[in-house]
Amino acid sequence: MIRRHLTELKPYESVDPVEVLAERAGIPAEQVIRLDMNENPYGCSPRVQRALGEAGSYHIYPDPSSRELRRLLAGYTGFDPEYIAVGSGSDELIDLILRLTLEPGDRVINCPPTFGMYPFSTGVCGGEIVNVPRGPDYSIDVAAIKSAVDRRTRVVFITSPNNPTGNLTSEGDILQLLETGVLVVVDEAYYEFAGVSVAHLVPSHANLIVLRTFSKWAGLAGLRVGYGILSPQINEVVHRMKLPYNVTIAAQIAARESLADMDYMQGRIKAILAERERLFQGLKVQGILDPIPSKGNFLLCRVVNGEALEIKQGLEKRGILVRYYDVHRLRDKLRISVGKPEHTDALLLALSHC
Ligand SMILES: *Cc1c(COP(=O)(O)O)cnc(C)c1O
């Protein structure tokens, strides 16, 4: 009964819910320090909390074209609403883009180590992943990507800043990829932390799509809202094919209130960036983990002494969650999301006992 390519599909590797991990560690869930999902440690804007409590519209279906939110995002991004698509997280937009472009057997270029959703959604759509590994400094290999492009290549995914390595891809590199004519998706999930974007290239390059999300900077991971900046011609097809009510009323209210509270949220982003530097220095001085510089709200760290998996498990027993990836080039590393100052202190203390 099931399509062949789906019978062998590997599930997306995520992490267990905090309650499960808390039970395993034998501590209350509220005491667990979560530094494994790049979430905002301060949560969402208080305006979001208030507006969600007061809204009286939950029995009404949301606007299928999310007109209000796209208009507000036009104000925020500087692009007209016809350039903007919103989704149930940027993950939904990744899936939509691949359903839009892939015939079975078509190819998608992926640059590991990177975010795992691109191979996952490519697999769901019956496409084939072509991996073009990043270089020793985790920069993309433009020449290798260009020579990997063939007549079955439909999409190239570039994450900037990259998750989990934290480095940016230069505009020059993106321009070179755009010259191939293949659709280039630049995932800017951490844009608000990095402050650098290639979105201004969208009007002159119809084969560029920029993806962003409210999950990280706005603390809305649990409500699922992301957006894309893309050519109005492609966007029109996206709007015809997407599920009509993909962004809930709650998600639209939360995104609206986050944008309305931008000054306050910028203050929190600044606090996270300052804490990233303190965490970086603290880890360097301690000498157990060696962090590499990052433009996101996380640090990828090489384990100087010991095994990454053991340190991850040791921290977990002490109620601190960090991310370990059982994949090539990351097995000796941990990704640590930037938390509040007290989370940094607890992490450094726990590391010294691991
Ligand atoms: C977290 C993350 C996303 C997921 O964003 P959602 O809007 O929560 O779906 C997308 N891309 C990258 C690179 C991420 O790290």
Side-chain angles (χ1 to χ4, degrees):
M1 291 184 286
I2 293 168
R3 292 165 73 193
R4 258 293 273 293
H5 74 274
L6 293 176
T7 59
E8 285 137 39
L9 187 74
K10 287 203 216 86
Y12 181 73
E13 299 256 354
S14 191
V15 300
D16 290 329
V18 71
E19 293 74 16
V20 174
L21 294 162
E23 201 178 319
R24 218 187 288 156
I27 52 175
E30 325 69 83
Q31 277 175 31
V32 172
I33 298 175
R34 265 207 102 129
L35 305 176
D36 59 342
M37 292 290 275
N38 297 347
E39 293 149 343
N40 188 325
Y42 297 97
C44 63
S45 152
R47 278 190 66 141
V48 170
Q49 303 277 7
R50 214 174 315 128
L52 286 177
E54 287 167 2
S57 49
Y58 295 134
H59 60 298
I60 307 291
Y61 281 102
D63 168 15
S65 17
S66 302
R67 267 164 274 227
E68 184 200 22
L69 180 53
R70 285 169 59 222
R71 191 171 45 73
L72 294 171
L73 282 168
Y76 177 58
T77 62
F79 293 92
D80 287 343
E82 63 264 28
Y83 279 88
I84 292 170
V86 294
S88 174
S90 51
D91 285 352
E92 187 197 18
L93 296 169
I94 293 168
D95 177 69
L96 272 168
I97 290 165
L98 293 170
R99 284 199 282 142
L100 186 75
T101 52
L102 296 188
E103 302 279 4
D106 278 347
R107 299 195 179 120
V108 172
I109 293 181
N110 184 50
C111 301
T114 193
F115 188 49
M117 198 56 72
Y118 321 127
F120 170 76
S121 291
T122 299
V124 172
C125 293
E128 267 176 36
I129 278 285
V130 175
N131 281 317
V132 179
R134 288 167 175 264
D137 62 351
Y138 301 117
S139 59
I140 61 164
D141 187 340
V142 175
I145 294 172
K146 279 179 138 177
S147 51
V149 169
D150 63 17
R151 51 179 191 85
R152 302 236 42 189
T153 309
R154 294 290 169 265
V155 187
V156 179
F157 279 102
I158 304 294
T159 321
S160 183
N162 188 39
N163 175 8
T165 60
N167 58 310
L168 289 162
T169 293
S170 74
E171 187 173 317
D173 282 359
I174 298 296
L175 280 166
Q176 285 196 59
L177 298 180
L178 288 168
E179 279 168 19
T180 63
V182 173
L183 182 61
V184 177
V185 178
V186 179
D187 186 341
E188 296 183 350
Y190 301 94
Y191 161 68
E192 280 75 7
F193 299 103
V196 181
S197 176
V198 292
H200 62 276
L201 299 174
V202 170
S204 53
H205 296 82
N207 60 329
L208 173 63
I209 297 181
V210 171
L211 297 181
R212 307 236 185 104
T213 179
F214 283 78
S215 293
K216 313 289 165 51
W217 71 272
L220 299 182
L223 281 170
R224 316 302 303 131
V225 47
Y227 63 98
I229 303 167
L230 67 167
S231 102
Q233 286 76 20
I234 304 176
N235 199 14
E236 194 267 321
V237 188
V238 166
H239 275 83
R240 268 189 278 149
M241 71 176 283
K242 76 174 189 65
L243 288 173
Y245 311 118
N246 58 329
V247 185
T248 66
I249 294 271
Q252 300 201 34
I253 291 171
R256 178 188 77 203
E257 295 301 316
S258 304
L259 291 173
D261 210 9
M262 206 57 210
D263 286 348
Y264 180 82
M265 293 310 288
Q266 282 293 356
R268 287 181 163 183
I269 292 167
K270 279 212 187 89
I272 292 167
L273 294 181
E275 194 55 27
R276 182 182 71 198
E277 291 323 301
R278 201 175 77 93
L279 174 62
F280 187 95
Q281 294 308 332
L283 289 169
K284 277 273 185 205
V285 168
Q286 192 179 43
I288 299 168
L289 303 181
D290 186 26
I292 62 170
S294 166
K295 296 288 181 187
N297 63 338
F298 54 86
L299 292 173
L300 187 69
C301 308
R302 191 175 54 85
V303 175
V304 180
N305 246 320
E307 294 291 325
L309 184 57
E310 279 172 24
I311 293 178
K312 180 223 142 131
Q313 288 163 343
L315 290 171
E316 193 174 308
K317 280 198 206 101
R318 292 168 176 84
I320 299 176
L321 309 179
V322 300
R323 194 71 181 266
Y324 168 77
Y325 297 92
D326 187 11
V327 304
H328 183 53
R329 294 174 76 187
L330 296 180
R331 289 191 188 92
D332 60 342
K333 300 183 182 75
L334 296 171
R335 189 195 69 189
I336 302 177
S337 308
V338 179
K340 295 179 180 175
E342 60 264 38
H343 300 153
T344 300
D345 297 341
L347 172 79
L348 292 172
L349 181 66
L351 273 172
S352 68
H353 292 294
C354 273

